[in-house]
Amino acid sequence: MLDPKNLQSVMKESSELGKNAHAELEKPFAEGMKNMQMSGADSARDIMNSVNATCKKMMDDMNGVFSGLQDNVDAHQKMQQEERPKDFETAMSDLRLKLSTGFPQEMKELFDKMPKIK
């Protein structure tokens, strides 16, 4: 089942990951600016590693949310498949000789007057 607390924690974690990634990306630039010695290849590698790690963590979190949503949908569909309305329980005394099928005849005239969708 989809847990709202889990969804909220994922969103908070994602926000924190973004903030941490920003702080991590700032460090090499700030240190490089002090000495004016910063390799372009090193900074690009640091940036890509940080971006990849952040994206992987966020994808894992979103997969967890999707799995929870899918479990919720599966449980709901299972409940619908197993549900039997009271109208179709044979133990009920409703004056009918058999289970009803088709459109209710007592409402047919009402719906015959309605415009038909083509």
Side-chain angles (χ1 to χ4, degrees):
M1 294 296 224
L2 188 60
D3 185 9
K5 292 179 183 176
N6 186 22
L7 184 60
Q8 187 177 17
S9 72
V10 166
M11 296 184 87
K12 282 183 182 178
E13 278 184 39
S14 298
S15 176
E16 288 300 317
L17 278 172
K19 289 176 185 174
N20 291 342
H22 183 266
E24 289 292 321
L25 290 174
E26 253 183 323
K27 286 179 189 176
F29 288 110
E31 290 174 13
M33 291 302 287
K34 287 180 192 173
N35 303 328
M36 294 302 283
Q37 296 173 353
M38 188 167 141
S39 164
D42 290 340
S43 64
R45 183 173 45 250
D46 289 344
I47 289 170
M48 288 309 295
N49 287 339
S50 179
V51 167
N52 285 339
T54 302
C55 288
K56 183 178 181 333
K57 177 68 173 144
M58 289 178 76
M59 283 300 292
D60 291 343
D61 288 344
M62 292 311 292
N63 282 333
V65 169
F66 180 74
S67 294
L69 182 60
Q70 190 63 50
D71 290 345
N72 195 7
V73 168
D74 292 343
H76 185 71
Q77 287 177 343
K78 183 179 179 192
M79 178 196 68
Q80 284 180 326
Q81 288 171 351
E82 294 174 354
E83 187 176 33
R84 272 190 71 82
K86 289 183 179 179
D87 291 345
F88 294 99
E89 288 182 13
T90 55
M92 288 183 65
S93 175
D94 61 359
L95 305 177
R96 290 185 289 189
L97 300 175
K98 62 179 184 163
L99 293 179
S100 65
T101 57
F103 199 82
Q105 290 302 313
E106 57 270 10
M107 297 175 71
K108 188 173 185 323
E109 292 85 22
L110 172 71
F111 283 98
D112 281 344
K113 296 174 188 172
M114 299 277 205
K116 306 292 186 265
I117 297 175
K118 295 180 182 181

